[in-house]
Amino acid sequence: MDTQRATTEAENVTELEERIELQKEQTKILQMQMECECPDPSCQVAHES
């Protein structure tokens, strides 16, 4: 029973870590968009500003 619980907890931790990484990536993109002075509002900052 304890091994099943430990496995579930490990899976939860892995899922949380993946979510955190995704949020960090999204935050970085949003930050770059905010800093970009490109006049195009749909710009994904795929260029040097």
Side-chain angles (χ1 to χ4, degrees):
M1 195 63 129
D2 287 333
T3 56
Q4 183 180 9
R5 186 172 166 190
T7 302
T8 303
E9 288 180 10
E11 290 172 355
N12 289 342
V13 168
T14 301
E15 183 180 340
L16 287 172
E17 289 173 343
E18 290 172 356
R19 287 185 188 178
I20 290 169
E21 285 304 312
L22 181 60
Q23 287 295 320
K24 284 180 181 179
E25 290 172 18
Q26 291 174 343
T27 300
K28 184 177 178 182
I29 291 170
L30 287 172
Q31 214 168 18
M32 290 172 67
Q33 289 173 336
M34 288 176 63
E35 292 173 358
C36 179
E37 295 180 10
C38 180
D40 183 5
S42 65
C43 176
Q44 293 297 311
V45 191
H47 59 81
E48 292 293 322
S49 58

